[in-house]
């Protein structure tokens, strides 16, 4: 007996795919909205989205094969062969992307909402899809990276699933300036920022380093919500410099020697 | 004889204070330890209106010969000096006014902490809970105050006792109201949501099943034959979350003197999406209890704090 694939079966299969797509869209929309209302649990809620997406598409795929096409054992083996050939010929990249997506979902090298560096790009992960991960750079450029890249190159996640993220802020001051006072001011500018996150596990560190013509004061502190990374940096820098100005702490002096001074210097040294 | 009188007075004052008996006992123990040569400064912390001042009042009354009291009502701008007094226990209320959340805003607190550690005085300080948590994370001030007393929330019985202590017996009439009984256990409510489509915000009300836990409790407790006044104070407890100051406000708003009905006690509802600056302004107000508008604008570094205050209070 030969079974045929009629138009009804095709419509059923398409309907299931459309339903799965709509379902993932609705779940993504609802969970994204909900995540904005749960404060510090925002990233945790968003973590569920890719897991649900893959589960829904997996169930849809299984249902199409089992109930709609109702494959027998022989047909299943034949289908596997065809599927293998398809992967070998042209769909291997697509298949690698899907496997990459599953690995990303289970291993969580990064999650939706994380700030990651992948290749030459840095940005916030907006979506982990079946085939690709989408993230937006600080310049509002949407980057679409195939999921298989997780196998071929290192991905750096700045916050590893946490809503808070470390931000390093460097200020450069004149070598003659009072470094202790400048460090105190920078520390206060950091801990009083509305964007800061401070706890025993996430302390603020202020570090000083001397260079030949200037001193670098570096703060290492956590921003409360990684989406405010640049606002935090800007807020701290502005308020620290305002206070530096009030306390007489200056920017590094420009150390450019005039031609004659440089000539005299060379003559002396020779 | 004199000691016996003081002990009796202490018991009377302790009995007058509603709640906080454990907290009071631990502070009195620390005072006794101080007198025997062991000094451990104390920090009392609680949410705004949770009864810190009442507790400090009780301590002051129980130790009138030993205690000097300082209170701040606004942000302190100048270095504080200790009063010249033979009394060696210093009570300081509202210590959150010793700092301002801005660059250069910790100098007064730094000076105060320098004063606290080496001196021969025992410091019993009270702090707004949110300010304390912030300062403890940022400055680790907990190490200056080894005894930390966090005020417990009131129970329904304590709220009842504290509120009714202001009235004569039987002055208030507790009345069951039909309106409250008629509230449905489950009803379809609408959750307001702003959908952003085509760059336009479209208000949508999403229906959901709302379970009315108050009505369920009311029905269950009615079967237990619990007095209506207990149901009323249970509801006040629920709305105030055990904060005596908030419970007092809820009572005042619900009372139709001399009658009070459970249906008049409404839960606070709010539907406001705060942006980052607004949330920061609100948290600053909560962490200071009271603050001048110009100080708030200075901390938030935002010129339009008036607008935010308008939105928060509407």
């Amino acid at each position: 007996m030969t079974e045929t694939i009629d138009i009804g079966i095709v419509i059923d299969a398409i309907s299931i795919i459309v339903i799965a797509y709509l379902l993932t869209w609705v779940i993504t929309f609802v969970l994204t909205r909900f995540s904005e209302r749960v404060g510090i649990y925002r990233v945790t809620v968003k973590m569920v989205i890719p897991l649900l997406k893959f589960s829904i598409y997996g169930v849809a795929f299984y249902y199409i094969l089992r109930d709609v096409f109702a494959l027998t054992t022989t047909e299943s083996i034949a289908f596997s062969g065809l599927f293998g050939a398809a992967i070998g010929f042209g769909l291997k990249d697509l298949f690698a992307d899907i496997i990459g997506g599953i690995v990303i979902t289970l291993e969580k090298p990064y999650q939706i909402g994380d700030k990651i560096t992948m290749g030459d790009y840095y940005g916030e992960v907006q979506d982990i899809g079946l085939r690709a991960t989408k993230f937006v750079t600080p310049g509002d450029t949407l980057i679409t990276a195939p999921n298989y890249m997780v196998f071929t190159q290192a991905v750096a996640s700045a916050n590893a699933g946490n809503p808070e993220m470390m931000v390093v802020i460097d200020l450069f001051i004149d070598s003659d300036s009072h470094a202790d006072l400048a460090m105190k001011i920078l520390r206060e500018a950091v801990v009083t920022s509305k964007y800061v996150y401070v706890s025993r596990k996430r302390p603020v560190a202020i570090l000083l380093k001397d260079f030949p013509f200037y001193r670098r004061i570096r703060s290492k502190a956590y921003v409360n919500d990684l989406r405010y990374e640049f606002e935090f940096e800007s807020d701290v820098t502005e308020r620290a410099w305002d206070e530096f100005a009030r306390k007489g702490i200056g920017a590094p002096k420009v150390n450019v020697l005039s031609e004659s001074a440089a000539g005299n210097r060379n003559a002396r040294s020779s | 004889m004199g000691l016996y009188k003081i002990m009796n007075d202490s018991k009377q004052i302790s009995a007058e204070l509603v709640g906080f008996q454990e907290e009071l006992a631990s502070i009195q123990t620390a005072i006794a330890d101080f007198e025997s040569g062991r000094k451990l400064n104390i920090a009392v912390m609680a949410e705004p209106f949770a009864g810190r001042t009442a507790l400090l009042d009780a301590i002051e009354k129980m130790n009138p010969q030993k205690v000097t009291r300082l209170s701040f009502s606004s942000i302190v701008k100048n270095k504080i000096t200790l009063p010249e007094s033979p009394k060696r226990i210093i009570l300081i209320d509202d210590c959150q006014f010793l700092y301002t959340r801005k660059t250069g805003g910790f100098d007064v607190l730094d000076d105060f902490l320098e004063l606290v550690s080496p001196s021969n005085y025992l410091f019993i300080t009270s702090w707004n809970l949110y300010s304390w948590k912030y300062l403890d994370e940022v400055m680790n001030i907990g190490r200056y105050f080894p005894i930390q007393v966090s005020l417990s929330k009131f129970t329904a019985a304590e709220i009842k006792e504290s509120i009714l202590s202001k009235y004569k017996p039987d002055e208030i009439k507790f009345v069951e109201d039909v309106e409250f009984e008629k509230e449905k256990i489950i009803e379809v409510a609408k959750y307001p949501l702003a959908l952003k489509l085509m760059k336009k915000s479209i208000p949508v009300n999403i229906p959901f099943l709302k379970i009315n836990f108050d009505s369920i409790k009311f029905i269950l407790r009615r079967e237990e034959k619990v007095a209506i006044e207990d149901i009323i104070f249970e509801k006040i407890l629920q709305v105030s979350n055990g904060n005596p100051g908030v419970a007092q406000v809820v009572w005042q708003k619900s009372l139709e003197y001399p009658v009070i009905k459970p249906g008049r006690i409404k839960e606070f509802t709010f539907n406001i999406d705060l942006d980052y600056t607004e949330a920061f302004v609100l948290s600053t107000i909560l962490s200071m209890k009271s603050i001048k508008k110009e100080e708030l604008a200075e901390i938030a570094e935002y010129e339009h704090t008036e607008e935010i205050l308008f939105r928060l209070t509407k």
Side-chain angles (χ1 to χ4, degrees):
Chain A
M1 197 175 99
T2 314
E3 293 209 20
T4 54
I5 296 175
D6 60 25
I7 190 77
I9 290 176
V10 173
I11 289 172
D12 281 355
I14 291 171
S15 305
I16 289 168
I17 292 167
V18 169
I19 289 167
Y21 176 78
L22 289 176
L23 199 58
T24 52
W25 188 85
V26 169
I27 285 174
T28 306
F29 177 79
V30 170
L31 285 179
T32 306
R33 294 293 304 216
F34 177 66
S35 69
E36 296 301 325
R37 293 180 171 269
V38 290
I40 57 167
Y41 301 107
R42 181 176 68 88
V43 177
T44 314
V45 172
K46 281 189 170 178
M47 272 166 57
V48 182
I49 296 173
L51 196 65
L52 285 174
K53 266 187 184 177
F54 278 94
S55 304
I56 290 167
Y57 282 122
V59 169
F61 189 62
Y62 173 76
Y63 186 75
I64 289 169
L65 290 183
R66 202 198 68 177
D67 290 351
V68 178
F69 290 110
L71 300 180
T72 63
T73 312
T74 321
E75 286 166 343
S76 296
I77 292 166
F79 176 77
S80 306
L82 270 176
F83 191 60
I87 289 170
F89 281 115
L91 295 177
K92 68 176 171 51
D93 287 344
L94 180 67
F95 192 69
D97 285 339
I98 293 170
I99 297 295
I102 293 169
V103 170
I104 292 165
T105 309
L106 298 177
E107 197 183 288
K108 300 189 183 73
Y110 55 84
Q111 295 151 29
I112 295 179
D114 279 8
K115 287 252 177 158
I116 62 165
T117 305
M118 190 185 273
D120 295 333
Y121 299 104
Y122 172 73
E124 185 184 338
V125 178
Q126 298 284 308
D127 185 36
I128 300 171
L130 272 184
R131 196 196 68 77
T133 294
K134 289 179 179 171
F135 60 103
V136 176
T137 67
D140 205 24
T141 304
L142 181 71
I143 308 291
T144 305
N147 285 338
Y148 81 85
M149 283 176 76
V150 77
F151 299 122
T152 58
Q153 59 179 284
V155 181
S157 174
N159 59 308
N162 296 309
E164 71 275 9
M165 182 181 79
M166 181 182 272
V167 176
V168 178
I169 302 168
D170 288 338
L171 299 182
F172 298 92
I173 60 166
D174 177 28
S175 296
D176 297 333
S177 293
H178 193 327
D180 281 349
L181 181 61
M183 288 169 78
K184 178 180 178 281
I185 290 170
L186 180 56
R187 182 180 164 74
E188 287 184 355
V190 170
V191 299
T192 56
S193 171
K194 61 185 166 195
Y195 301 106
V196 77
Y197 177 89
V198 193
S199 74
R200 293 279 156 83
K201 282 186 181 172
R202 304 273 193 249
V204 174
I206 307 292
L207 307 164
L208 174 71
K209 190 171 170 95
D210 253 331
F211 289 88
F213 300 109
Y214 57 86
R215 284 173 158 176
R216 184 191 72 196
I217 302 173
R218 167 171 287 181
S219 89
K220 288 181 163 187
Y222 288 79
V223 63
N224 193 23
D225 182 333
L226 54 85
R227 289 174 294 183
Y228 294 99
E229 174 190 357
F230 300 107
E231 286 87 343
F232 177 51
E233 195 175 339
S234 161
D235 178 52
V236 170
T237 306
E238 183 198 347
R239 289 183 308 110
W241 272 114
D242 284 352
E243 196 65 14
F244 283 175
R246 273 194 284 272
K247 302 285 177 173
I249 295 170
K253 294 183 185 80
V254 181
N255 290 284
V256 179
L257 296 174
S258 65
E259 243 175 66
S260 58
N264 290 339
R265 205 177 186 187
N266 289 338
R268 272 203 302 274
S269 61
S270 61
Chain B
M1 188 70 180
L3 181 67
Y4 176 75
K5 188 177 180 306
I6 288 171
M7 281 175 70
N8 267 353
D9 286 351
S10 299
K11 278 181 186 166
Q12 193 188 334
I13 293 159
S14 162
E16 281 170 12
L17 179 73
V18 179
F20 309 137
Q21 295 304 315
E22 276 180 31
E23 291 87 343
L24 197 59
S26 65
I27 293 169
Q28 284 297 97
T29 307
I31 291 174
D33 286 347
F34 174 64
E35 285 171 336
S36 58
R38 187 165 175 254
K39 178 195 158 179
L40 292 172
N41 292 323
I42 302 165
V44 178
M45 70 281 291
E47 290 174 357
F49 313 109
R52 275 182 289 130
T53 305
L55 180 66
L56 261 57
D57 288 346
I59 295 163
E60 191 179 13
K61 280 184 189 170
M62 288 166 82
N63 306 279
Q65 305 302 321
K66 306 169 195 166
V67 163
T68 304
R69 176 119 177 221
L70 291 175
S71 285
F72 308 119
S73 54
S74 61
I75 290 172
V76 181
K77 300 277 169 75
N78 301 314
K79 186 175 178 175
I80 63 164
T81 49
L82 297 179
E84 286 182 13
S85 164
K87 297 174 182 177
R88 288 172 56 227
I89 299 173
I90 299 183
L91 281 183
I92 309 182
D93 202 1
D94 286 323
C95 286
Q96 69 275 5
F97 289 126
L98 291 173
Y99 86 102
T100 316
R101 190 168 167 164
K102 62 173 192 175
T103 45
F106 296 89
D107 295 348
V108 175
L109 182 61
D110 281 335
D111 289 339
F112 173 67
L113 294 176
E114 271 182 32
L115 201 69
V116 159
S117 341
S119 73
N120 295 321
Y121 294 92
L122 173 70
F123 288 86
I124 302 175
T125 56
S126 93
W127 304 77
N128 174 294
L129 180 68
Y130 307 115
S131 281
W132 172 269
K133 282 183 177 170
Y134 169 71
L135 292 169
D136 202 27
E137 300 290 6
V138 167
M139 297 176 71
N140 195 10
I141 54 166
R143 67 201 149 123
Y144 297 92
F145 303 94
I147 299 179
Q148 291 158 22
V149 179
S150 190
L151 294 193
S152 49
K153 288 180 177 176
F154 267 31
T155 61
E158 286 168 339
I159 288 176
K160 180 180 173 182
E161 192 185 341
S162 90
I163 289 175
L164 293 185
S165 64
K166 297 175 180 66
Y167 300 94
K168 290 175 195 158
D170 298 329
E171 186 181 342
I172 300 296
K173 310 286 175 221
F174 298 90
V175 179
E176 282 189 44
D177 53 349
V178 183
E179 183 194 337
F180 184 66
E181 285 187 65
K182 273 186 178 172
E183 278 180 18
K184 290 174 185 167
I185 292 173
I186 296 176
E187 59 184 330
V188 179
K190 285 175 181 171
Y191 184 82
L193 192 73
L195 265 181
K196 280 181 184 163
L197 289 173
M198 306 289 285
K199 295 183 180 175
K200 282 182 184 171
S201 186
I202 304 163
V204 179
N205 287 321
I206 298 175
F208 71 101
L209 282 179
K210 184 187 170 191
I211 301 170
N212 197 335
F213 291 103
D214 285 347
S215 291
I216 295 171
K217 274 188 193 170
F218 181 78
I219 290 164
L220 291 175
R221 303 212 69 179
R222 191 173 53 182
E223 282 166 9
E224 288 173 25
K225 297 193 175 160
V226 174
I228 184 69
E229 62 182 88
D230 289 336
I231 291 170
I232 285 172
F233 285 108
E234 195 72 51
K235 196 166 181 195
I236 292 176
L237 170 75
Q238 201 182 349
V239 175
S240 65
N241 195 24
N243 183 312
V246 178
Q248 195 70 45
V249 173
V250 174
W251 171 266
Q252 293 296 347
K253 282 183 178 289
S254 313
L255 182 71
E256 293 166 302
Y257 184 82
V259 173
I260 179 116
K261 299 173 183 175
R264 285 278 303 161
I265 303 163
K266 302 288 182 200
E267 286 191 32
F268 295 112
T269 53
F270 53 89
N271 179 31
I272 177 169
D273 273 329
L274 298 180
D275 67 21
Y276 207 95
T277 306
E278 289 168 340
F280 180 71
V281 165
L282 181 59
S283 72
T284 305
I285 295 168
L286 281 174
S287 64
M288 299 307 278
K289 191 172 85 175
S290 62
I291 186 167
K292 291 174 188 162
K293 280 178 191 170
E294 55 272 26
E295 288 169 340
L296 190 60
E298 210 179 335
I299 292 169
E301 294 218 327
Y302 187 69
E303 289 169 9
H304 309 292
T305 39
E306 288 273 1
E307 289 169 20
I308 295 176
L309 292 174
F310 174 72
R311 255 169 66 73
L312 292 175
T313 50
K314 78 177 176 182

